[in-house]
Amino acid sequence: MIRVAVAGSAGRMGQAVCAAVRAADDMELICGIDPHQESSEALPVYEDAASALDAEAFDVLVDFTRRDAAEGTLSTVLTRGVDCVVGTTGIPQETLEELASRAPQGTSLFYAPNFTTGAVLMMQFARAAAPFFPEAEIIEYHHCRKKDAPSGTAVMTAKAIAQGRDGRVSAAPGSETEIDGATGARGALIEGVPVHAVRSDGFVANQEVIFGGMGQTLSVKHVSWDTQSYMPGVLLGIRESSRLTGLVCGLETLMAL
């Protein structure tokens, strides 16, 4: 039985992870970590990771919080030899590497900017299409409570497209064409790919990659309309964490693609 703690247990994703862990036959939900939630008979909740570690024993910590909170939590938990599965976006690669370096040998930090299988496939398709189309742009849509823009998925997709291009540079006009008072109209340029972030109620997490070439376009789109779409990937990360070591990034590393 895998013993699991959930950081951010009061949040929307945290609640979904708690429910998924409870429903899994091979897992036990040990506690939550969230300063905005009180303990109950069903779930003990601690204000911070240090308090949770002092009171409970768990094998894996799942973190869906904010970058500033996650970095402190992960630093505390990893040094105690607890594997971590992280979906909190906005944490720089160098910070992840530094956090993983603090952990004892055999401890894993598994990080994924997106835990939906469809989003992983979308990124794979985008990388495959990149060599065949001279232009590509990304439009990502999220709920208005999301704390970072652009999303981690959009950043990873832009990097995948750049890898597929193998050094080729887009010829499409960029920020130099933006009119006065309209800075940002061409989006944020990430690895040479314009990325546009939409924030509004009505979305959970959507992304569209638009490729353009002479006389044709190709659109690759993924839509998450419920947080349940993330749960198979989260549970896979929990189950695989014990066989991983060090920093491992991306759900695709655990999928047979």
Side-chain angles (χ1 to χ4, degrees):
M1 194 68 89
I2 307 171
R3 299 169 297 178
V4 181
V6 178
S9 51
R12 182 174 58 172
M13 283 297 296
Q15 292 179 48
V17 172
C18 287
V21 169
R22 282 195 176 104
D25 294 336
D26 58 344
M27 299 180 194
E28 180 183 2
L29 181 62
I30 298 298
C31 66
I33 300 172
D34 198 310
H36 306 294
Q37 184 180 16
E38 295 184 358
S39 292
S40 66
E41 292 185 7
L43 182 69
V45 180
Y46 300 91
E47 185 171 345
D48 53 51
S51 300
L53 286 164
D54 289 341
E56 308 285 354
F58 46 91
D59 307 306
V60 181
L61 171 84
V62 180
D63 190 297
F64 279 91
T65 55
R66 304 183 316 274
R67 173 185 170 181
D68 55 345
E71 290 180 13
T73 297
L74 296 175
S75 178
T76 300
V77 172
L78 286 166
T79 56
R80 298 278 284 268
V82 176
D83 296 326
C84 293
V85 175
V86 182
T88 300
T89 59
I91 305 176
Q93 180 72 19
E94 57 270 22
T95 300
L96 292 169
E97 293 171 356
E98 199 275 331
L99 287 168
S101 71
R102 300 178 189 176
Q105 183 67 32
T107 306
S108 66
L109 170 54
F110 178 68
Y111 173 80
N114 197 305
F115 277 88
T116 60
T117 53
V120 170
L121 291 170
M122 174 190 60
M123 287 186 271
Q124 296 286 324
F125 297 157
R127 181 173 181 173
F132 303 100
F133 289 87
E135 308 303 339
E137 304 210 10
I138 298 169
I139 308 174
E140 55 100 340
Y141 312 76
H142 281 79
H143 55 87
C144 57
R145 295 167 299 285
K146 186 169 176 57
K147 302 298 184 182
D148 58 327
S151 69
T153 301
V155 172
M156 291 293 289
T157 306
K159 291 179 178 179
I161 292 170
Q163 290 169 355
R165 284 175 166 173
D166 195 23
R168 181 172 49 79
V169 178
S170 167
S175 59
E176 72 279 1
T177 65
E178 294 171 351
I179 64 174
D180 291 343
T183 300
R186 288 291 291 121
L189 199 65
I190 300 176
E191 300 282 342
V193 180
V195 179
H196 312 266
V198 177
R199 296 291 176 267
S200 176
D201 282 331
F203 296 107
V204 174
N206 300 6
Q207 181 170 293
E208 183 176 14
V209 186
I210 303 171
F211 291 97
M214 184 65 69
Q216 62 176 330
T217 62
L218 172 67
S219 177
V220 183
K221 186 174 183 179
H222 176 256
V223 177
S224 289
W225 50 268
D226 192 282
T227 54
Q228 291 304 309
S229 62
Y230 296 85
M231 294 308 109
V234 173
L235 296 181
L236 177 62
I238 294 171
R239 292 186 175 109
E240 294 294 317
S241 60
S242 63
R243 73 171 183 83
L244 305 175
T245 186
L247 175 63
V248 179
C249 294
L251 188 63
E252 66 275 9
T253 62
L254 307 183
M255 296 170 60
L257 296 174

